[in-house]
Amino acid sequence: MCGIVGYIGNSSVGPILFESLSRLEYRGYDSAGIALLNGHGIEVHKRVGKLKGLIEGTSQLPLRGHLGLGHTRWATHGEPSETNAHPHLDCQGRLAIVHNGIIENYRELKERLLDQGHRFQSQTDTEVIAHLVEHYSRSLSLRDAFRKALQELQGSYALCLLATDDPERLYGARLGSPLILGIGKNEMFLASDVPAVLGRTREIMYLNDREVVELSQNSLQISTLDGNPIDRQPSRIDWDIACAQKSGFKHFMLKEIHEQPNTIEQTILNRLDWQIQQVRFDERTNHFLERLSPDEQFVIIACGTAYHAALVGEYMLEEFAEMAVDVDLASEFRYRKPRLNRHTTVLAISQSGETADTLAGIRLAKEQGAKVLSICNVVGSSVARESDAVLFTHAGPEIAVASTKAYTAQLTVLALLTMYLANARQLLKDPEKLQFFRTFRKLPELARLALNAEADIQKIAFFYADSENFYYLGRKYNFPSALEGALKLKEICPKIHAEGYAAGEMKHGPIALIRPGWPVLFIATDSNVYDKVISNIEETRARKASCVVIASEGNRSIRSYADHVIEVPKTEEIFSPILTAIPLQLLAYYIADLNGCDVDQPPNLAKSVTVE
Ligand code: M6R
């Protein structure tokens, strides 16, 4: 993972690098570092731990210069230490490099460079790149040496390079890890993600795989690895900086949970055609969907939270669009021998659009002749660019590591897609269609009402904050909700071991662990499996578990089965995971906050998993 930034311009480089890095910390935060050209040479500062430590540790220094690089790290090769923190230098300290990705052939390259007399300081894979460029720059210009070195690298990289011999230029390159260019007034940026530059510019360009960029203060040149120039126009980002900041909330996660009525609304906006009572997407996607064969098979691939959305999507598409649907973890799918053909659509779901396993799954699907549709939150991301058509979730930038608003936006898009396909196949009767349309229109308001349980959830969180374990159970549409609820808690509150199960599976094993007082959260909203869930609640209560139940508003009888009840608005079953997600997120948030956990940046995690 890791976040990288580069700056060239006429402002003082130190504060700009820190500001940009602070917006990339979600990508990794076990160490941070910067390098700048200060007129005498390369000045490097690094600290283990979060960026704050580096900022405080350098607060008395001028950090002047007009060219610099920065890095916030999520360790892959070599423990988090000052030596392993980026930037990395060559033997002579004449060039500095920051990297996001993994160089798979670094061992061979390192051995060769060691034989040639290079001296290494760190255990990282990245340092070989600095020495490789140094090696070639003995006989070539920096530009050509960089290119030559890139041609030898196997694996993935987003790179940013500066050198004392070329003090008016910054270089960048990408293969498999994201890199964007920000075009400002008398200044240029390189960064892993858009929020890093939003404070200075909204003019953005995306670099593609196997492209190199050379930046000066007022110009940029993109080219292929072989040196062929590429002409590309910038796009204008319509998020503003406030979207990427906390707006008064204690954490980004809490802010993002509260944004859901709005993000759901944005996701539905302009997609309901009331006149013909059909869902409409953009032209390219409509065209893609219109050409699906009657016996089209969907294979949904995703990771983490997006995988839980995929599981809900399976229930939706099977029930209403009567389609054959398989769901797979992208990290498994990419190594299987799936039977795909031209009647298969691989539906990839990813918030960031940069998840390495999901991208690999997309590439495998294409190799095998399948079509690729994706659900993605980031315009211009790799997933979006490599798909035949994209259904964008309009959730805005999601900064907290724990995904919340992107998940409910993914579920909303899956419901829209289901409606589209069910309608196109004439599987919905008019009253049913109308009812679904009405619920879509009400969904933002229902999400707002679901947030009303916040004060009760805070009290419940207090009751369970000292727990060591937590089970989350649900059935059918809310089985994936149980998985997602447990993932949220274990991600942001690593003190508690949480697991989600299909409620019917309890008696096949997990129930063995239940002891008096063991916390179990049930999702028991109105559905045709409600009575079955009640039986499962009885089974756990017979073993004296402590039960929290998420139930549909107005369900009075549920109180006799539960220690604590959280109400969500009534809705059709297909929409219920969108609403039950909200209390699950809030409960995890308040338990984690009471435990003093680092909610937005939990240990060992990073927002965007761009490595395998
Ligand atoms: O960006 P993506 O949706 O592809 O990310 C997939 C997972 O890495 C992500 O959902 C992860 O599980 C989140 N931290 C969950 O909160």
Side-chain angles (χ1 to χ4, degrees), residues 527-598:
S527 78
N528 62 358
V529 287
Y530 175 77
D531 291 339
K532 307 281 173 206
V533 180
I534 294 296
S535 305
N536 299 136
I537 298 177
E538 300 267 36
E539 287 157 16
T540 56
R541 282 179 63 83
R543 286 152 184 90
K544 300 196 168 30
S546 179
C547 292
V548 184
V549 181
I550 298 180
S552 300
E553 190 181 15
N555 182 345
R556 301 268 166 264
S557 58
I558 196 70
R559 295 191 183 269
S560 57
Y561 298 98
D563 296 276
H564 303 277
V565 176
I566 302 170
E567 289 195 346
V568 288
K570 276 177 185 288
T571 184
E572 292 85 1
E573 203 183 347
I574 176 175
F575 296 107
S576 84
I578 301 174
L579 302 183
T580 57
I582 293 171
L584 291 168
Q585 296 160 354
L586 285 168
L587 185 64
Y589 172 79
Y590 282 111
I591 291 178
D593 193 40
L594 282 169
N595 276 290
C597 298
D598 193 344

Coordinates of all heavy atoms in Angstrom, one line a residue, residues 527-598:
S527 N -38.8 -10.6 7.7 CA -38.4 -11.4 6.5 C -39.1 -12.7 6.6 O -39.6 -13.0 7.7 CB -36.9 -11.6 6.3 OG -36.5 -12.6 7.2
N528 N -39.0 -13.5 5.6 CA -39.6 -14.8 5.7 C -38.8 -15.8 6.5 O -39.1 -17.0 6.6 CB -40.0 -15.4 4.3 CG -38.8 -15.6 3.4 OD1 -37.7 -15.3 3.8 ND2 -39.0 -16.1 2.2
V529 N -37.6 -15.4 7.0 CA -36.8 -16.2 7.8 C -36.8 -15.7 9.3 O -36.0 -16.2 10.1 CB -35.4 -16.4 7.3 CG1 -35.3 -17.3 6.1 CG2 -34.7 -15.1 7.1
Y530 N -37.7 -14.7 9.5 CA -37.7 -14.1 10.9 C -37.9 -15.2 12.0 O -37.2 -15.2 12.9 CB -38.8 -13.1 10.9 CG -39.0 -12.5 12.3 CD1 -38.2 -11.5 12.8 CD2 -40.1 -12.9 13.1 CE1 -38.3 -11.0 14.0 CE2 -40.3 -12.4 14.4 CZ -39.4 -11.4 14.8 OH -39.5 -10.9 16.1
D531 N -38.9 -16.1 11.8 CA -39.1 -17.1 12.8 C -37.9 -18.0 13.0 O -37.7 -18.4 14.2 CB -40.3 -18.0 12.4 CG -41.6 -17.1 12.5 OD1 -41.6 -16.1 13.2 OD2 -42.6 -17.5 11.8
K532 N -37.2 -18.3 12.0 CA -36.0 -19.1 12.1 C -35.0 -18.4 12.9 O -34.3 -19.0 13.7 CB -35.4 -19.4 10.7 CG -36.3 -19.9 9.7 CD -36.6 -21.4 9.9 CE -37.7 -21.9 9.0 NZ -38.3 -23.1 9.5
V533 N -34.8 -17.1 12.7 CA -33.8 -16.3 13.5 C -34.2 -16.3 15.0 O -33.4 -16.4 15.8 CB -33.7 -14.9 12.9 CG1 -32.7 -14.1 13.8 CG2 -33.3 -14.9 11.5
I534 N -35.6 -16.2 15.2 CA -36.0 -16.2 16.6 C -35.6 -17.5 17.2 O -35.1 -17.6 18.4 CB -37.6 -16.0 16.7 CG1 -37.9 -14.6 16.2 CG2 -38.1 -16.3 18.1 CD1 -37.4 -13.4 17.0
S535 N -35.7 -18.6 16.5 CA -35.3 -19.9 17.1 C -33.8 -19.9 17.4 O -33.4 -20.4 18.4 CB -35.6 -21.1 16.1 OG -36.9 -21.1 15.7
N536 N -33.1 -19.3 16.5 CA -31.6 -19.2 16.8 C -31.3 -18.3 18.0 O -30.4 -18.6 18.8 CB -30.9 -18.6 15.5 CG -31.0 -19.5 14.3 OD1 -31.3 -19.0 13.2 ND2 -30.9 -20.8 14.5
I537 N -32.1 -17.3 18.2 CA -31.9 -16.5 19.4 C -32.2 -17.3 20.6 O -31.4 -17.3 21.6 CB -32.8 -15.2 19.4 CG1 -32.5 -14.3 18.2 CG2 -32.7 -14.4 20.6 CD1 -33.4 -13.1 18.0
E538 N -33.3 -18.1 20.6 CA -33.7 -19.0 21.7 C -32.5 -19.9 22.0 O -32.2 -20.1 23.2 CB -34.9 -19.8 21.3 CG -36.1 -19.0 21.0 CD -37.0 -18.8 22.2 OE1 -36.5 -18.6 23.3 OE2 -38.2 -18.8 22.1
E539 N -31.9 -20.5 21.0 CA -30.8 -21.4 21.2 C -29.6 -20.8 22.0 O -29.0 -21.4 22.8 CB -30.3 -22.0 19.9 CG -31.2 -22.9 19.1 CD -30.9 -23.0 17.6 OE1 -29.8 -22.5 17.2 OE2 -31.8 -23.5 16.9
T540 N -29.3 -19.6 21.6 CA -28.2 -18.9 22.3 C -28.6 -18.5 23.7 O -27.8 -18.5 24.6 CB -27.6 -17.7 21.5 OG1 -28.7 -16.8 21.3 CG2 -27.0 -18.1 20.2
R541 N -29.8 -18.0 23.8 CA -30.3 -17.6 25.1 C -30.3 -18.7 26.1 O -30.1 -18.6 27.3 CB -31.6 -16.9 25.1 CG -31.4 -15.4 24.6 CD -32.7 -14.7 24.4 NE -33.4 -14.5 25.7 CZ -33.1 -13.6 26.6 NH1 -32.1 -12.7 26.3 NH2 -33.7 -13.4 27.7
A542 N -30.6 -19.9 25.6 CA -30.7 -21.1 26.4 C -29.3 -21.4 27.0 O -29.1 -22.0 28.1 CB -31.1 -22.3 25.6
R543 N -28.3 -20.8 26.4 CA -26.9 -21.0 26.9 C -26.4 -19.7 27.6 O -25.2 -19.4 27.7 CB -26.0 -21.4 25.7 CG -26.2 -22.8 25.4 CD -25.9 -23.1 23.9 NE -26.2 -24.5 23.7 CZ -27.4 -25.0 23.3 NH1 -28.4 -24.1 23.1 NH2 -27.6 -26.2 23.1
K544 N -27.4 -18.8 27.9 CA -27.2 -17.6 28.6 C -26.3 -16.6 27.9 O -25.6 -15.8 28.6 CB -26.6 -17.9 30.0 CG -27.5 -18.8 30.9 CD -27.2 -18.8 32.3 CE -28.2 -19.4 33.2 NZ -29.0 -20.5 32.7
A545 N -26.4 -16.6 26.6 CA -25.7 -15.5 25.9 C -26.4 -14.2 26.1 O -27.5 -14.1 26.6 CB -25.7 -15.8 24.4
S546 N -25.6 -13.1 25.9 CA -26.2 -11.8 26.1 C -26.6 -11.3 24.6 O -25.7 -11.1 23.8 CB -25.2 -10.8 26.7 OG -25.7 -9.6 26.8
C547 N -27.8 -11.0 24.4 CA -28.3 -10.8 23.0 C -28.6 -9.4 22.7 O -29.4 -8.8 23.4 CB -29.5 -11.7 22.6 SG -29.1 -13.4 22.6
V548 N -28.0 -8.8 21.6 CA -28.4 -7.5 21.0 C -29.1 -7.9 19.8 O -28.6 -8.7 19.0 CB -27.2 -6.7 20.6 CG1 -27.6 -5.3 20.1 CG2 -26.2 -6.6 21.8
V549 N -30.3 -7.3 19.6 CA -31.1 -7.7 18.3 C -31.4 -6.4 17.5 O -31.9 -5.5 18.1 CB -32.4 -8.4 18.7 CG1 -33.1 -8.8 17.4 CG2 -32.1 -9.7 19.5
I550 N -31.0 -6.5 16.3 CA -31.5 -5.4 15.4 C -32.8 -5.9 14.8 O -32.8 -6.9 14.1 CB -30.4 -5.1 14.3 CG1 -29.1 -4.7 14.9 CG2 -30.9 -4.1 13.3 CD1 -28.0 -4.4 13.9
A551 N -33.9 -5.1 15.0 CA -35.2 -5.5 14.6 C -35.9 -4.4 13.8 O -35.5 -3.2 13.9 CB -36.0 -5.9 15.8
S552 N -36.9 -4.8 13.1 CA -37.7 -3.7 12.4 C -38.5 -2.9 13.4 O -39.0 -3.4 14.4 CB -38.7 -4.4 11.4 OG -38.0 -5.1 10.5
E553 N -38.6 -1.6 13.1 CA -39.3 -0.7 14.0 C -40.7 -1.2 14.3 O -41.4 -1.7 13.4 CB -39.4 0.6 13.2 CG -39.9 1.8 13.9 CD -39.9 3.0 12.9 OE1 -39.9 2.7 11.7 OE2 -40.0 4.1 13.4
G554 N -41.1 -1.0 15.6 CA -42.4 -1.4 15.9 C -42.6 -2.9 16.4 O -43.7 -3.3 16.7
N555 N -41.5 -3.6 16.3 CA -41.6 -5.0 16.8 C -41.5 -5.1 18.3 O -40.4 -5.0 18.9 CB -40.4 -5.8 16.1 CG -40.5 -7.3 16.5 OD1 -41.2 -7.7 17.4 ND2 -39.7 -8.1 15.8
R556 N -42.7 -5.1 18.9 CA -42.7 -5.1 20.4 C -42.3 -6.4 21.0 O -41.6 -6.5 22.0 CB -44.1 -4.8 20.9 CG -44.7 -3.5 20.4 CD -44.4 -2.3 21.4 NE -44.6 -1.1 20.7 CZ -43.7 -0.3 20.2 NH1 -42.4 -0.7 20.2 NH2 -44.0 0.8 19.5
S557 N -42.7 -7.5 20.4 CA -42.4 -8.8 21.0 C -40.9 -9.2 21.1 O -40.5 -10.0 21.9 CB -43.2 -9.9 20.2 OG -42.7 -9.9 18.9
I558 N -40.1 -8.5 20.2 CA -38.7 -8.9 20.2 C -38.0 -8.6 21.5 O -37.1 -9.3 21.9 CB -38.0 -8.2 19.0 CG1 -36.6 -8.8 18.7 CG2 -37.8 -6.7 19.3 CD1 -36.7 -10.1 18.1
R559 N -38.6 -7.7 22.3 CA -37.9 -7.3 23.6 C -37.9 -8.5 24.5 O -37.0 -8.5 25.4 CB -38.7 -6.1 24.2 CG -38.5 -4.9 23.3 CD -38.9 -3.6 23.8 NE -38.7 -2.7 22.7 CZ -37.6 -2.0 22.5 NH1 -36.6 -2.1 23.3 NH2 -37.5 -1.2 21.4
S560 N -38.8 -9.4 24.4 CA -38.7 -10.5 25.4 C -37.6 -11.5 25.0 O -37.3 -12.4 25.8 CB -40.1 -11.2 25.4 OG -40.4 -11.7 24.1
Y561 N -37.0 -11.4 23.8 CA -35.9 -12.3 23.4 C -34.6 -11.6 23.6 O -33.5 -12.2 23.3 CB -36.1 -12.7 22.0 CG -37.3 -13.4 21.6 CD1 -38.4 -12.8 21.1 CD2 -37.4 -14.8 21.9 CE1 -39.6 -13.5 20.8 CE2 -38.6 -15.5 21.6 CZ -39.6 -14.8 21.0 OH -40.8 -15.5 20.7
A562 N -34.5 -10.3 23.9 CA -33.3 -9.6 23.7 C -32.9 -8.8 25.0 O -33.7 -8.4 25.7 CB -33.4 -8.6 22.6
D563 N -31.6 -8.7 25.2 CA -31.1 -7.9 26.3 C -31.1 -6.4 25.8 O -31.3 -5.5 26.6 CB -29.7 -8.3 26.7 CG -29.6 -9.7 27.2 OD1 -29.9 -9.8 28.4 OD2 -29.4 -10.6 26.5
H564 N -30.8 -6.2 24.5 CA -30.8 -4.9 24.0 C -31.4 -4.9 22.6 O -31.1 -5.9 21.8 CB -29.4 -4.3 23.8 CG -28.7 -4.3 25.1 ND1 -28.8 -3.3 26.1 CD2 -27.8 -5.2 25.7 CE1 -28.1 -3.6 27.1 NE2 -27.5 -4.7 26.9
V565 N -32.3 -3.9 22.2 CA -32.9 -3.9 20.9 C -32.5 -2.6 20.2 O -32.4 -1.5 20.8 CB -34.4 -4.0 21.0 CG1 -35.0 -3.9 19.6 CG2 -34.8 -5.3 21.6
I566 N -32.1 -2.8 18.9 CA -31.8 -1.6 18.1 C -32.9 -1.6 16.9 O -32.9 -2.7 16.2 CB -30.4 -1.6 17.5 CG1 -29.4 -1.7 18.6 CG2 -30.2 -0.4 16.6 CD1 -28.0 -1.9 18.1
E567 N -33.6 -0.6 16.8 CA -34.7 -0.6 15.7 C -34.2 0.1 14.5 O -33.4 1.1 14.5 CB -35.9 0.2 16.2 CG -36.6 -0.6 17.3 CD -38.0 0.0 17.5 OE1 -38.3 1.1 17.1 OE2 -38.8 -0.8 18.2
V568 N -34.5 -0.5 13.3 CA -34.3 0.1 12.0 C -35.6 0.3 11.3 O -36.6 -0.5 11.6 CB -33.3 -0.7 11.1 CG1 -31.9 -0.6 11.6 CG2 -33.8 -2.1 11.0
P569 N -35.8 1.2 10.4 CA -37.1 1.4 9.7 C -37.5 0.1 9.0 O -36.6 -0.6 8.5 CB -36.8 2.6 8.8 CG -35.6 3.3 9.3 CD -34.8 2.3 10.0
K570 N -38.8 -0.1 8.9 CA -39.3 -1.2 8.1 C -39.0 -1.0 6.6 O -39.2 0.2 6.1 CB -40.8 -1.3 8.2 CG -41.3 -2.0 9.5 CD -42.8 -1.9 9.4 CE -43.5 -2.4 10.7 NZ -43.4 -3.9 10.7
T571 N -38.7 -2.0 5.9 CA -38.6 -1.9 4.5 C -38.6 -3.3 3.8 O -38.6 -4.3 4.6 CB -37.2 -1.2 4.1 OG1 -37.2 -1.0 2.7 CG2 -36.0 -2.0 4.4
E572 N -38.7 -3.4 2.5 CA -38.7 -4.7 1.9 C -37.3 -5.3 2.2 O -36.3 -4.7 2.3 CB -38.8 -4.6 0.3 CG -40.1 -4.1 -0.2 CD -40.2 -2.6 -0.2 OE1 -39.2 -1.9 0.2 OE2 -41.3 -2.0 -0.5
E573 N -37.3 -6.7 2.2 CA -36.1 -7.4 2.6 C -34.9 -7.1 1.8 O -33.8 -7.0 2.3 CB -36.4 -8.9 2.5 CG -35.6 -9.8 3.4 CD -35.9 -11.2 3.2 OE1 -36.9 -11.6 2.5 OE2 -35.0 -12.0 3.6
I574 N -35.1 -6.9 0.5 CA -34.0 -6.6 -0.4 C -33.2 -5.3 0.0 O -32.0 -5.2 -0.2 CB -34.4 -6.5 -1.9 CG1 -33.3 -6.2 -2.8 CG2 -35.6 -5.6 -2.1 CD1 -33.7 -6.2 -4.3
F575 N -33.9 -4.4 0.6 CA -33.2 -3.1 1.0 C -32.7 -3.2 2.4 O -32.0 -2.3 2.9 CB -34.2 -1.9 0.9 CG -34.6 -1.7 -0.5 CD1 -35.9 -2.0 -1.0 CD2 -33.7 -1.1 -1.4 CE1 -36.3 -1.7 -2.3 CE2 -34.1 -0.9 -2.8 CZ -35.4 -1.2 -3.2
S576 N -33.1 -4.2 3.2 CA -32.8 -4.2 4.6 C -31.3 -4.2 4.9 O -30.9 -3.5 5.9 CB -33.6 -5.3 5.4 OG -32.9 -6.5 5.3
P577 N -30.4 -4.8 4.1 CA -29.0 -4.8 4.5 C -28.4 -3.3 4.4 O -27.5 -3.0 5.1 CB -28.3 -5.7 3.5 CG -29.4 -6.5 2.9 CD -30.6 -5.8 3.0
I578 N -29.1 -2.5 3.6 CA -28.6 -1.1 3.6 C -28.9 -0.4 4.9 O -28.0 0.3 5.4 CB -29.3 -0.3 2.4 CG1 -29.0 -1.1 1.1 CG2 -28.9 1.1 2.3 CD1 -29.8 -0.5 -0.1
L579 N -30.0 -0.7 5.5 CA -30.4 -0.1 6.7 C -29.7 -0.7 7.9 O -29.3 0.0 8.9 CB -31.9 0.0 6.9 CG -32.6 0.7 5.8 CD1 -34.1 0.7 6.1 CD2 -32.1 2.1 5.5
T580 N -29.6 -2.1 7.9 CA -29.0 -2.7 9.1 C -27.5 -2.4 9.2 O -26.9 -2.5 10.2 CB -29.2 -4.2 9.1 OG1 -28.7 -4.8 7.9 CG2 -30.7 -4.6 9.2
A581 N -26.9 -2.1 8.0 CA -25.4 -1.7 8.1 C -25.2 -0.6 9.0 O -24.1 -0.5 9.7 CB -24.9 -1.4 6.6
I582 N -26.1 0.4 9.1 CA -25.9 1.6 9.8 C -25.7 1.4 11.3 O -24.6 1.8 11.9 CB -26.9 2.7 9.4 CG1 -26.8 3.0 8.0 CG2 -26.9 3.9 10.3 CD1 -27.9 3.9 7.4
P583 N -26.6 0.7 12.0 CA -26.4 0.4 13.4 C -25.1 -0.5 13.6 O -24.4 -0.3 14.7 CB -27.6 -0.3 13.9 CG -28.4 -0.6 12.7 CD -28.0 0.3 11.6
L584 N -24.9 -1.4 12.7 CA -23.7 -2.2 12.9 C -22.4 -1.4 12.8 O -21.5 -1.6 13.6 CB -23.6 -3.3 11.8 CG -24.7 -4.4 11.8 CD1 -24.8 -5.2 10.5 CD2 -24.5 -5.3 13.0
Q585 N -22.4 -0.4 11.9 CA -21.2 0.5 11.9 C -21.1 1.3 13.1 O -20.0 1.5 13.7 CB -21.3 1.4 10.6 CG -21.4 0.7 9.3 CD -22.0 1.6 8.2 OE1 -22.5 2.7 8.4 NE2 -21.9 1.0 7.0
L586 N -22.2 1.9 13.6 CA -22.2 2.7 14.8 C -21.8 2.0 16.0 O -21.0 2.5 16.8 CB -23.6 3.4 15.0 CG -24.0 4.5 14.0 CD1 -25.5 4.8 14.2 CD2 -23.1 5.7 14.3
L587 N -22.3 0.7 16.1 CA -21.9 -0.1 17.3 C -20.4 -0.3 17.3 O -19.8 -0.2 18.4 CB -22.7 -1.4 17.3 CG -22.5 -2.3 18.6 CD1 -23.0 -1.5 19.8 CD2 -23.2 -3.6 18.4
A588 N -19.9 -0.7 16.2 CA -18.4 -1.0 16.1 C -17.7 0.3 16.4 O -16.7 0.3 17.2 CB -18.1 -1.5 14.7
Y589 N -18.2 1.4 15.9 CA -17.5 2.7 16.1 C -17.4 3.0 17.6 O -16.4 3.3 18.1 CB -18.2 3.8 15.3 CG -17.6 5.2 15.7 CD1 -16.4 5.6 15.1 CD2 -18.2 6.0 16.6 CE1 -15.8 6.8 15.5 CE2 -17.6 7.2 17.0 CZ -16.4 7.6 16.5 OH -15.8 8.7 16.9
Y590 N -18.6 3.0 18.3 CA -18.6 3.4 19.7 C -17.9 2.5 20.6 O -17.2 2.9 21.5 CB -20.0 3.7 20.1 CG -20.5 5.0 19.6 CD1 -21.5 5.1 18.6 CD2 -19.9 6.2 20.0 CE1 -21.9 6.4 18.1 CE2 -20.3 7.5 19.5 CZ -21.3 7.5 18.5 OH -21.6 8.7 18.0
I591 N -17.9 1.2 20.3 CA -17.2 0.2 21.1 C -15.7 0.5 21.0 O -14.9 0.6 21.9 CB -17.5 -1.2 20.7 CG1 -18.9 -1.6 21.2 CG2 -16.5 -2.2 21.4 CD1 -19.4 -3.0 20.8
A592 N -15.2 0.7 19.7 CA -13.8 1.0 19.5 C -13.4 2.3 20.1 O -12.3 2.4 20.7 CB -13.6 1.1 18.0
D593 N -14.2 3.3 20.0 CA -13.9 4.6 20.6 C -13.8 4.6 22.1 O -12.9 5.1 22.7 CB -14.9 5.7 20.1 CG -14.4 7.1 20.4 OD1 -13.2 7.4 20.2 OD2 -15.2 7.9 20.8
L594 N -14.7 3.8 22.7 CA -14.6 3.7 24.2 C -13.4 2.9 24.6 O -12.8 3.2 25.7 CB -15.9 2.9 24.7 CG -17.2 3.6 24.8 CD1 -18.3 2.7 25.0 CD2 -17.1 4.7 25.9
N595 N -12.9 2.1 23.7 CA -11.6 1.4 24.0 C -10.4 2.2 23.6 O -9.3 1.7 23.7 CB -11.6 0.0 23.3 CG -12.3 -1.0 24.0 OD1 -11.9 -1.5 25.1 ND2 -13.5 -1.4 23.6
G596 N -10.6 3.4 23.2 CA -9.5 4.3 22.9 C -8.7 3.8 21.6 O -7.5 4.1 21.4
C597 N -9.4 3.1 20.7 CA -8.7 2.6 19.5 C -8.5 3.7 18.5 O -9.3 4.7 18.5 CB -9.6 1.5 18.9 SG -9.8 0.1 20.0
D598 N -7.6 3.5 17.6 CA -7.3 4.4 16.6 C -8.3 4.1 15.4 O -8.0 3.3 14.5 CB -5.9 4.3 16.1 CG -5.4 5.4 15.2 OD1 -6.3 6.1 14.7 OD2 -4.2 5.6 15.0

